Amino acid sequence: MSTQDSLQRLAQTIESRKTGSHEKSYVARLLHNGPDSFLKKIGEEATETVMAAKDVQRDPANPLLRGKLVGEVADLWFHSMIALAYFDLSPADVIAELERREGTSGLEEKALRKTQI
Ligand SMILES: N=c1c2ncn([C@@H]3O[C@H](COP(=O)(O)OP(=O)(O)OP(=O)(O)O)[C@@H](O)[C@H]3O)c2ncn1[C@@H]1O[C@H](COP(=O)(O)O)[C@@H](O)[C@H]1O
């Protein structure tokens, strides 16, 4: 199973929660409560990702810390996918944007932006 398939399947589940019961579903609850609820979670998960990555930087071989980092990034991706769905966007849009950027060095792109100002 490809990474893209998993993301697409999760996106479909999230989409289905737009009409789901917010009593029984965490996703439906966040969608029902509106952007502030999931944007706050994205902020928290981003901070937790940074803290977990700093722990791995200090002790790279520690499997518990490595697992914690993966878990925090999963939380960050998951809550970001809720934001995309809320605004009628999908992981396919993000993947298309990454594909558009493929092969363009960040340094080249930055230099090009400076000449355009
Ligand atoms: N991938 C996830 C997923 N990742 C994280 N979470 C939930 O995100 C919540 C927030 O994580 P935190 O670490 O901040 O935990 P917390 O301290 O309980 O957070 P608070 O909400 O209390 O602030 C937790 O309740 C996690 O269980 C997820 N909840 C659901 N999914 C997927 O979404 C699907 C639909 O979920 P429901 O809508 O709940 O059926 C599920 O089948 C899963 O595939």
Side-chain angles (χ1 to χ4, degrees):
M1 183 204 321
S2 79
T3 308
Q4 222 161 311
D5 288 345
S6 318
L7 290 177
Q8 197 48 44
R9 229 185 15 261
L10 177 56
Q12 279 163 3
T13 302
I14 291 172
E15 194 62 34
S16 76
R17 297 304 196 255
K18 285 185 176 178
T19 51
S21 155
H22 50 270
E23 316 256 291
K24 293 193 187 133
S25 154
Y26 175 74
V27 175
R29 185 171 302 174
L30 286 181
L31 291 170
H32 173 81
N33 289 343
D36 283 357
S37 66
F38 52 78
L39 297 178
K40 179 169 171 278
K41 292 303 296 179
I42 292 173
E44 286 171 15
E45 304 306 350
T47 304
E48 284 166 16
T49 295
V50 171
M51 288 173 359
K54 292 303 287 180
D55 287 340
V56 173
Q57 187 183 16
R58 272 187 289 277
D59 188 2
N62 186 321
L64 286 178
L65 297 180
R66 298 176 72 80
K68 177 95 173 96
L69 175 57
V70 170
E72 296 302 351
V73 173
D75 285 346
L76 180 58
W77 286 18
F78 168 66
H79 287 91
S80 299
M81 285 177 66
I82 295 177
L84 288 173
Y86 185 88
F87 296 113
D88 295 322
L89 292 163
S90 75
D93 294 305
V94 177
I95 288 164
E97 174 61 14
L98 290 172
E99 284 175 354
R100 188 189 66 75
R101 297 177 188 183
E102 208 171 333
T104 304
S105 151
L107 295 178
E108 266 172 46
E109 185 274 333
K110 198 170 184 161
L112 194 67
R113 246 188 297 143
K114 283 192 177 146
T115 62
Q116 286 169 345
I117 295 170

mmCIF file of all heavy atoms in Angstrom, residues 56-99:
data_model
loop_
_atom_site.group_PDB
_atom_site.id
_atom_site.type_symbol
_atom_site.label_atom_id
_atom_site.label_comp_id
_atom_site.label_asym_id
_atom_site.label_seq_id
_atom_site.Cartn_x
_atom_site.Cartn_y
_atom_site.Cartn_z
ATOM 1 N N VAL A 56 15.448 13.918 19.905
ATOM 2 C CA VAL A 56 16.156 12.961 19.028
ATOM 3 C C VAL A 56 17.544 13.504 18.688
ATOM 4 O O VAL A 56 18.521 12.743 18.619
ATOM 5 C CB VAL A 56 15.337 12.670 17.740
ATOM 6 C CG1 VAL A 56 16.137 11.820 16.771
ATOM 7 C CG2 VAL A 56 14.035 11.962 18.098
ATOM 8 N N GLN A 57 17.637 14.820 18.502
ATOM 9 C CA GLN A 57 18.949 15.429 18.201
ATOM 10 C C GLN A 57 19.941 15.143 19.343
ATOM 11 O O GLN A 57 21.101 14.836 19.110
ATOM 12 C CB GLN A 57 18.778 16.944 18.017
ATOM 13 C CG GLN A 57 20.032 17.660 17.550
ATOM 14 C CD GLN A 57 19.829 19.167 17.451
ATOM 15 O OE1 GLN A 57 18.874 19.715 18.004
ATOM 16 N NE2 GLN A 57 20.716 19.838 16.762
ATOM 17 N N ARG A 58 19.432 15.190 20.588
ATOM 18 C CA ARG A 58 20.294 14.952 21.762
ATOM 19 C C ARG A 58 20.674 13.474 21.894
ATOM 20 O O ARG A 58 21.756 13.153 22.350
ATOM 21 C CB ARG A 58 19.565 15.389 23.041
ATOM 22 C CG ARG A 58 19.770 16.852 23.389
ATOM 23 C CD ARG A 58 19.178 17.201 24.758
ATOM 24 N NE ARG A 58 17.721 17.207 24.743
ATOM 25 C CZ ARG A 58 16.985 18.247 24.344
ATOM 26 N NH1 ARG A 58 17.568 19.359 23.946
ATOM 27 N NH2 ARG A 58 15.673 18.183 24.338
ATOM 28 N N ASP A 59 19.742 12.580 21.473
ATOM 29 C CA ASP A 59 19.951 11.135 21.694
ATOM 30 C C ASP A 59 19.421 10.362 20.479
ATOM 31 O O ASP A 59 18.377 9.707 20.553
ATOM 32 C CB ASP A 59 19.206 10.760 22.992
ATOM 33 C CG ASP A 59 19.490 9.346 23.446
ATOM 34 O OD1 ASP A 59 20.298 8.645 22.786
ATOM 35 O OD2 ASP A 59 18.890 8.922 24.458
ATOM 36 N N PRO A 60 20.146 10.442 19.330
ATOM 37 C CA PRO A 60 19.618 9.932 18.056
ATOM 38 C C PRO A 60 19.318 8.437 18.025
ATOM 39 O O PRO A 60 18.471 8.003 17.251
ATOM 40 C CB PRO A 60 20.723 10.269 17.043
ATOM 41 C CG PRO A 60 21.632 11.221 17.711
ATOM 42 C CD PRO A 60 21.470 11.046 19.187
ATOM 43 N N ALA A 61 20.003 7.656 18.869
ATOM 44 C CA ALA A 61 19.812 6.195 18.782
ATOM 45 C C ALA A 61 18.669 5.706 19.674
ATOM 46 O O ALA A 61 18.347 4.518 19.669
ATOM 47 C CB ALA A 61 21.107 5.490 19.150
ATOM 48 N N ASN A 62 18.065 6.600 20.438
ATOM 49 C CA ASN A 62 17.024 6.177 21.389
ATOM 50 C C ASN A 62 15.702 5.878 20.645
ATOM 51 O O ASN A 62 15.059 6.793 20.120
ATOM 52 C CB ASN A 62 16.817 7.302 22.417
ATOM 53 C CG ASN A 62 15.859 6.905 23.520
ATOM 54 O OD1 ASN A 62 14.862 6.238 23.267
ATOM 55 N ND2 ASN A 62 16.171 7.326 24.733
ATOM 56 N N PRO A 63 15.294 4.581 20.604
ATOM 57 C CA PRO A 63 14.094 4.230 19.819
ATOM 58 C C PRO A 63 12.804 4.849 20.373
ATOM 59 O O PRO A 63 11.887 5.139 19.614
ATOM 60 C CB PRO A 63 14.045 2.695 19.885
ATOM 61 C CG PRO A 63 14.948 2.300 20.996
ATOM 62 C CD PRO A 63 15.921 3.409 21.237
ATOM 63 N N LEU A 64 12.750 5.060 21.698
ATOM 64 C CA LEU A 64 11.536 5.655 22.279
ATOM 65 C C LEU A 64 11.359 7.087 21.792
ATOM 66 O O LEU A 64 10.263 7.517 21.421
ATOM 67 C CB LEU A 64 11.609 5.638 23.813
ATOM 68 C CG LEU A 64 11.417 4.283 24.476
ATOM 69 C CD1 LEU A 64 11.552 4.400 25.994
ATOM 70 C CD2 LEU A 64 10.057 3.694 24.102
ATOM 71 N N LEU A 65 12.488 7.818 21.786
ATOM 72 C CA LEU A 65 12.425 9.218 21.341
ATOM 73 C C LEU A 65 12.121 9.296 19.848
ATOM 74 O O LEU A 65 11.373 10.174 19.397
ATOM 75 C CB LEU A 65 13.741 9.944 21.663
ATOM 76 C CG LEU A 65 14.078 10.059 23.161
ATOM 77 C CD1 LEU A 65 15.404 10.806 23.348
ATOM 78 C CD2 LEU A 65 12.964 10.766 23.939
ATOM 79 N N ARG A 66 12.673 8.358 19.070
ATOM 80 C CA ARG A 66 12.405 8.342 17.622
ATOM 81 C C ARG A 66 10.925 8.057 17.358
ATOM 82 O O ARG A 66 10.291 8.674 16.516
ATOM 83 C CB ARG A 66 13.292 7.298 16.921
ATOM 84 C CG ARG A 66 14.783 7.596 17.060
ATOM 85 C CD ARG A 66 15.642 6.507 16.449
ATOM 86 N NE ARG A 66 15.580 6.544 14.993
ATOM 87 C CZ ARG A 66 16.274 7.395 14.249
ATOM 88 N NH1 ARG A 66 17.087 8.268 14.811
ATOM 89 N NH2 ARG A 66 16.169 7.367 12.961
ATOM 90 N N GLY A 67 10.364 7.116 18.157
ATOM 91 C CA GLY A 67 8.942 6.783 18.022
ATOM 92 C C GLY A 67 8.060 7.970 18.399
ATOM 93 O O GLY A 67 7.025 8.229 17.778
ATOM 94 N N LYS A 68 8.504 8.701 19.428
ATOM 95 C CA LYS A 68 7.746 9.881 19.885
ATOM 96 C C LYS A 68 7.706 10.927 18.768
ATOM 97 O O LYS A 68 6.665 11.535 18.503
ATOM 98 C CB LYS A 68 8.424 10.422 21.147
ATOM 99 C CG LYS A 68 7.821 11.674 21.723
ATOM 100 C CD LYS A 68 6.828 11.340 22.823
ATOM 101 C CE LYS A 68 6.316 12.597 23.546
ATOM 102 N NZ LYS A 68 5.066 13.092 23.049
ATOM 103 N N LEU A 69 8.845 11.118 18.095
ATOM 104 C CA LEU A 69 8.899 12.100 16.995
ATOM 105 C C LEU A 69 7.930 11.696 15.872
ATOM 106 O O LEU A 69 7.170 12.531 15.366
ATOM 107 C CB LEU A 69 10.338 12.232 16.466
ATOM 108 C CG LEU A 69 10.512 13.126 15.240
ATOM 109 C CD1 LEU A 69 9.985 14.546 15.482
ATOM 110 C CD2 LEU A 69 11.988 13.185 14.822
ATOM 111 N N VAL A 70 7.962 10.414 15.517
ATOM 112 C CA VAL A 70 7.052 9.937 14.453
ATOM 113 C C VAL A 70 5.593 10.180 14.872
ATOM 114 O O VAL A 70 4.764 10.647 14.079
ATOM 115 C CB VAL A 70 7.304 8.439 14.145
ATOM 116 C CG1 VAL A 70 6.220 7.876 13.237
ATOM 117 C CG2 VAL A 70 8.676 8.255 13.499
ATOM 118 N N GLY A 71 5.288 9.905 16.139
ATOM 119 C CA GLY A 71 3.920 10.108 16.651
ATOM 120 C C GLY A 71 3.490 11.566 16.581
ATOM 121 O O GLY A 71 2.351 11.877 16.208
ATOM 122 N N GLU A 72 4.406 12.467 16.922
ATOM 123 C CA GLU A 72 4.062 13.904 16.897
ATOM 124 C C GLU A 72 3.843 14.387 15.461
ATOM 125 O O GLU A 72 2.937 15.181 15.203
ATOM 126 C CB GLU A 72 5.156 14.747 17.579
ATOM 127 C CG GLU A 72 5.361 14.476 19.073
ATOM 128 C CD GLU A 72 4.112 14.679 19.921
ATOM 129 O OE1 GLU A 72 3.089 15.184 19.428
ATOM 130 O OE2 GLU A 72 4.155 14.286 21.102
ATOM 131 N N VAL A 73 4.687 13.889 14.540
ATOM 132 C CA VAL A 73 4.500 14.289 13.133
ATOM 133 C C VAL A 73 3.167 13.723 12.615
ATOM 134 O O VAL A 73 2.436 14.409 11.886
ATOM 135 C CB VAL A 73 5.694 13.851 12.251
ATOM 136 C CG1 VAL A 73 5.414 14.111 10.779
ATOM 137 C CG2 VAL A 73 6.971 14.592 12.665
ATOM 138 N N ALA A 74 2.827 12.507 13.044
ATOM 139 C CA ALA A 74 1.531 11.931 12.638
ATOM 140 C C ALA A 74 0.385 12.818 13.138
ATOM 141 O O ALA A 74 -0.567 13.103 12.402
ATOM 142 C CB ALA A 74 1.390 10.509 13.177
ATOM 143 N N ASP A 75 0.471 13.271 14.398
ATOM 144 C CA ASP A 75 -0.569 14.166 14.943
ATOM 145 C C ASP A 75 -0.640 15.460 14.121
ATOM 146 O O ASP A 75 -1.720 15.973 13.841
ATOM 147 C CB ASP A 75 -0.253 14.537 16.404
ATOM 148 C CG ASP A 75 -0.545 13.383 17.364
ATOM 149 O OD1 ASP A 75 -1.229 12.426 16.960
ATOM 150 O OD2 ASP A 75 -0.071 13.456 18.518
ATOM 151 N N LEU A 76 0.539 15.976 13.745
ATOM 152 C CA LEU A 76 0.595 17.236 12.979
ATOM 153 C C LEU A 76 -0.031 17.052 11.592
ATOM 154 O O LEU A 76 -0.847 17.867 11.150
ATOM 155 C CB LEU A 76 2.057 17.704 12.870
ATOM 156 C CG LEU A 76 2.310 18.994 12.121
ATOM 157 C CD1 LEU A 76 1.540 20.165 12.734
ATOM 158 C CD2 LEU A 76 3.813 19.304 12.105
ATOM 159 N N TRP A 77 0.348 15.966 10.916
ATOM 160 C CA TRP A 77 -0.228 15.692 9.582
ATOM 161 C C TRP A 77 -1.740 15.521 9.686
ATOM 162 O O TRP A 77 -2.494 16.068 8.893
ATOM 163 C CB TRP A 77 0.377 14.422 8.980
ATOM 164 C CG TRP A 77 1.772 14.562 8.474
ATOM 165 C CD1 TRP A 77 2.676 15.537 8.777
ATOM 166 C CD2 TRP A 77 2.443 13.665 7.569
ATOM 167 N NE1 TRP A 77 3.854 15.307 8.123
ATOM 168 C CE2 TRP A 77 3.743 14.181 7.381
ATOM 169 C CE3 TRP A 77 2.067 12.495 6.935
ATOM 170 C CZ2 TRP A 77 4.679 13.543 6.556
ATOM 171 C CZ3 TRP A 77 2.991 11.858 6.107
ATOM 172 C CH2 TRP A 77 4.279 12.380 5.917
ATOM 173 N N PHE A 78 -2.159 14.729 10.679
ATOM 174 C CA PHE A 78 -3.587 14.426 10.844
ATOM 175 C C PHE A 78 -4.405 15.715 11.033
ATOM 176 O O PHE A 78 -5.395 15.947 10.346
ATOM 177 C CB PHE A 78 -3.750 13.468 12.033
ATOM 178 C CG PHE A 78 -5.160 13.299 12.500
ATOM 179 C CD1 PHE A 78 -6.107 12.693 11.685
ATOM 180 C CD2 PHE A 78 -5.552 13.754 13.753
ATOM 181 C CE1 PHE A 78 -7.426 12.540 12.114
ATOM 182 C CE2 PHE A 78 -6.855 13.597 14.191
ATOM 183 C CZ PHE A 78 -7.797 12.995 13.378
ATOM 184 N N HIS A 79 -3.958 16.564 11.962
ATOM 185 C CA HIS A 79 -4.723 17.792 12.208
ATOM 186 C C HIS A 79 -4.634 18.758 11.017
ATOM 187 O O HIS A 79 -5.576 19.489 10.737
ATOM 188 C CB HIS A 79 -4.278 18.448 13.527
ATOM 189 C CG HIS A 79 -4.753 17.685 14.730
ATOM 190 N ND1 HIS A 79 -4.003 16.682 15.317
ATOM 191 C CD2 HIS A 79 -5.919 17.731 15.428
ATOM 192 C CE1 HIS A 79 -4.684 16.170 16.334
ATOM 193 N NE2 HIS A 79 -5.849 16.780 16.419
ATOM 194 N N SER A 80 -3.506 18.737 10.294
ATOM 195 C CA SER A 80 -3.391 19.572 9.081
ATOM 196 C C SER A 80 -4.369 19.073 8.016
ATOM 197 O O SER A 80 -4.944 19.875 7.264
ATOM 198 C CB SER A 80 -1.964 19.530 8.522
ATOM 199 O OG SER A 80 -1.063 20.031 9.472
ATOM 200 N N MET A 81 -4.567 17.753 7.963
ATOM 201 C CA MET A 81 -5.520 17.200 6.990
ATOM 202 C C MET A 81 -6.950 17.608 7.322
ATOM 203 O O MET A 81 -7.778 17.787 6.424
ATOM 204 C CB MET A 81 -5.377 15.678 6.908
ATOM 205 C CG MET A 81 -4.122 15.289 6.133
ATOM 206 S SD MET A 81 -3.850 13.515 6.089
ATOM 207 C CE MET A 81 -5.235 12.962 5.119
ATOM 208 N N ILE A 82 -7.243 17.781 8.611
ATOM 209 C CA ILE A 82 -8.579 18.265 8.989
ATOM 210 C C ILE A 82 -8.752 19.700 8.476
ATOM 211 O O ILE A 82 -9.799 20.066 7.937
ATOM 212 C CB ILE A 82 -8.786 18.169 10.516
ATOM 213 C CG1 ILE A 82 -8.778 16.692 10.941
ATOM 214 C CG2 ILE A 82 -10.094 18.845 10.931
ATOM 215 C CD1 ILE A 82 -8.894 16.454 12.433
ATOM 216 N N ALA A 83 -7.700 20.509 8.606
ATOM 217 C CA ALA A 83 -7.764 21.896 8.108
ATOM 218 C C ALA A 83 -7.968 21.904 6.590
ATOM 219 O O ALA A 83 -8.807 22.650 6.072
ATOM 220 C CB ALA A 83 -6.498 22.657 8.481
ATOM 221 N N LEU A 84 -7.227 21.060 5.870
ATOM 222 C CA LEU A 84 -7.384 20.998 4.411
ATOM 223 C C LEU A 84 -8.830 20.645 4.065
ATOM 224 O O LEU A 84 -9.455 21.293 3.224
ATOM 225 C CB LEU A 84 -6.439 19.939 3.812
ATOM 226 C CG LEU A 84 -4.943 20.273 3.788
ATOM 227 C CD1 LEU A 84 -4.149 19.057 3.319
ATOM 228 C CD2 LEU A 84 -4.653 21.463 2.883
ATOM 229 N N ALA A 85 -9.362 19.611 4.726
ATOM 230 C CA ALA A 85 -10.731 19.161 4.421
ATOM 231 C C ALA A 85 -11.743 20.267 4.709
ATOM 232 O O ALA A 85 -12.671 20.480 3.925
ATOM 233 C CB ALA A 85 -11.063 17.922 5.246
ATOM 234 N N TYR A 86 -11.541 20.953 5.819
ATOM 235 C CA TYR A 86 -12.498 22.015 6.184
ATOM 236 C C TYR A 86 -12.591 23.056 5.070
ATOM 237 O O TYR A 86 -13.654 23.587 4.771
ATOM 238 C CB TYR A 86 -12.055 22.673 7.502
ATOM 239 C CG TYR A 86 -13.042 23.694 8.006
ATOM 240 C CD1 TYR A 86 -14.102 23.308 8.833
ATOM 241 C CD2 TYR A 86 -12.940 25.044 7.658
ATOM 242 C CE1 TYR A 86 -15.022 24.239 9.299
ATOM 243 C CE2 TYR A 86 -13.863 25.975 8.109
ATOM 244 C CZ TYR A 86 -14.901 25.564 8.933
ATOM 245 O OH TYR A 86 -15.822 26.483 9.382
ATOM 246 N N PHE A 87 -11.419 23.342 4.444
ATOM 247 C CA PHE A 87 -11.389 24.363 3.389
ATOM 248 C C PHE A 87 -11.492 23.737 1.990
ATOM 249 O O PHE A 87 -11.098 24.353 0.995
ATOM 250 C CB PHE A 87 -10.127 25.223 3.531
ATOM 251 C CG PHE A 87 -10.114 26.011 4.819
ATOM 252 C CD1 PHE A 87 -9.184 25.753 5.822
ATOM 253 C CD2 PHE A 87 -11.048 27.006 5.049
ATOM 254 C CE1 PHE A 87 -9.181 26.463 7.019
ATOM 255 C CE2 PHE A 87 -11.059 27.726 6.246
ATOM 256 C CZ PHE A 87 -10.133 27.458 7.231
ATOM 257 N N ASP A 88 -12.023 22.498 1.940
ATOM 258 C CA ASP A 88 -12.239 21.783 0.673
ATOM 259 C C ASP A 88 -10.962 21.616 -0.144
ATOM 260 O O ASP A 88 -10.971 21.780 -1.373
ATOM 261 C CB ASP A 88 -13.343 22.470 -0.164
ATOM 262 C CG ASP A 88 -14.692 22.388 0.530
ATOM 263 O OD1 ASP A 88 -14.971 21.340 1.147
ATOM 264 O OD2 ASP A 88 -15.449 23.366 0.476
ATOM 265 N N LEU A 89 -9.883 21.314 0.566
ATOM 266 C CA LEU A 89 -8.617 20.958 -0.094
ATOM 267 C C LEU A 89 -8.281 19.533 0.323
ATOM 268 O O LEU A 89 -8.911 18.979 1.235
ATOM 269 C CB LEU A 89 -7.514 21.934 0.331
ATOM 270 C CG LEU A 89 -7.704 23.370 -0.191
ATOM 271 C CD1 LEU A 89 -6.842 24.351 0.583
ATOM 272 C CD2 LEU A 89 -7.410 23.450 -1.681
ATOM 273 N N SER A 90 -7.267 18.934 -0.331
ATOM 274 C CA SER A 90 -6.968 17.528 -0.019
ATOM 275 C C SER A 90 -5.466 17.280 -0.074
ATOM 276 O O SER A 90 -4.715 18.112 -0.608
ATOM 277 C CB SER A 90 -7.673 16.622 -1.028
ATOM 278 O OG SER A 90 -6.974 16.671 -2.255
ATOM 279 N N PRO A 91 -5.024 16.095 0.439
ATOM 280 C CA PRO A 91 -3.598 15.771 0.339
ATOM 281 C C PRO A 91 -3.139 15.775 -1.117
ATOM 282 O O PRO A 91 -1.982 16.092 -1.397
ATOM 283 C CB PRO A 91 -3.493 14.363 0.926
ATOM 284 C CG PRO A 91 -4.761 14.082 1.612
ATOM 285 C CD PRO A 91 -5.777 15.050 1.148
ATOM 286 N N ALA A 92 -4.059 15.441 -2.047
ATOM 287 C CA ALA A 92 -3.683 15.446 -3.472
ATOM 288 C C ALA A 92 -3.236 16.846 -3.902
ATOM 289 O O ALA A 92 -2.315 16.987 -4.723
ATOM 290 C CB ALA A 92 -4.859 14.978 -4.323
ATOM 291 N N ASP A 93 -3.856 17.890 -3.332
ATOM 292 C CA ASP A 93 -3.445 19.263 -3.671
ATOM 293 C C ASP A 93 -2.029 19.543 -3.164
ATOM 294 O O ASP A 93 -1.232 20.192 -3.836
ATOM 295 C CB ASP A 93 -4.416 20.281 -3.052
ATOM 296 C CG ASP A 93 -5.807 20.178 -3.658
ATOM 297 O OD1 ASP A 93 -5.918 20.266 -4.889
ATOM 298 O OD2 ASP A 93 -6.772 19.980 -2.898
ATOM 299 N N VAL A 94 -1.734 19.033 -1.969
ATOM 300 C CA VAL A 94 -0.396 19.260 -1.391
ATOM 301 C C VAL A 94 0.645 18.470 -2.191
ATOM 302 O O VAL A 94 1.722 18.998 -2.512
ATOM 303 C CB VAL A 94 -0.371 18.856 0.107
ATOM 304 C CG1 VAL A 94 1.022 19.025 0.693
ATOM 305 C CG2 VAL A 94 -1.378 19.679 0.894
ATOM 306 N N ILE A 95 0.301 17.230 -2.547
ATOM 307 C CA ILE A 95 1.235 16.401 -3.315
ATOM 308 C C ILE A 95 1.485 17.040 -4.690
ATOM 309 O O ILE A 95 2.629 17.095 -5.162
ATOM 310 C CB ILE A 95 0.712 14.947 -3.419
ATOM 311 C CG1 ILE A 95 0.860 14.280 -2.039
ATOM 312 C CG2 ILE A 95 1.485 14.148 -4.465
ATOM 313 C CD1 ILE A 95 0.090 13.016 -1.845
ATOM 314 N N ALA A 96 0.434 17.581 -5.296
ATOM 315 C CA ALA A 96 0.598 18.245 -6.604
ATOM 316 C C ALA A 96 1.547 19.445 -6.472
ATOM 317 O O ALA A 96 2.383 19.693 -7.344
ATOM 318 C CB ALA A 96 -0.761 18.695 -7.147
ATOM 319 N N GLU A 97 1.427 20.173 -5.364
ATOM 320 C CA GLU A 97 2.302 21.335 -5.146
ATOM 321 C C GLU A 97 3.757 20.878 -4.949
ATOM 322 O O GLU A 97 4.686 21.482 -5.493
ATOM 323 C CB GLU A 97 1.802 22.139 -3.936
ATOM 324 C CG GLU A 97 2.699 23.297 -3.491
ATOM 325 C CD GLU A 97 2.909 24.373 -4.556
ATOM 326 O OE1 GLU A 97 2.184 24.404 -5.566
ATOM 327 O OE2 GLU A 97 3.843 25.197 -4.373
ATOM 328 N N LEU A 98 3.937 19.788 -4.183
ATOM 329 C CA LEU A 98 5.307 19.273 -3.980
ATOM 330 C C LEU A 98 5.877 18.784 -5.310
ATOM 331 O O LEU A 98 7.066 18.992 -5.599
ATOM 332 C CB LEU A 98 5.296 18.149 -2.942
ATOM 333 C CG LEU A 98 5.012 18.603 -1.506
ATOM 334 C CD1 LEU A 98 4.832 17.398 -0.589
ATOM 335 C CD2 LEU A 98 6.116 19.505 -0.974
ATOM 336 N N GLU A 99 5.023 18.149 -6.127
ATOM 337 C CA GLU A 99 5.487 17.669 -7.440
ATOM 338 C C GLU A 99 5.852 18.847 -8.341
ATOM 339 O O GLU A 99 6.817 18.787 -9.093
ATOM 340 C CB GLU A 99 4.408 16.787 -8.095
ATOM 341 C CG GLU A 99 4.364 15.414 -7.443
ATOM 342 C CD GLU A 99 3.248 14.511 -7.948
ATOM 343 O OE1 GLU A 99 2.408 14.982 -8.744
ATOM 344 O OE2 GLU A 99 3.200 13.354 -7.518
#
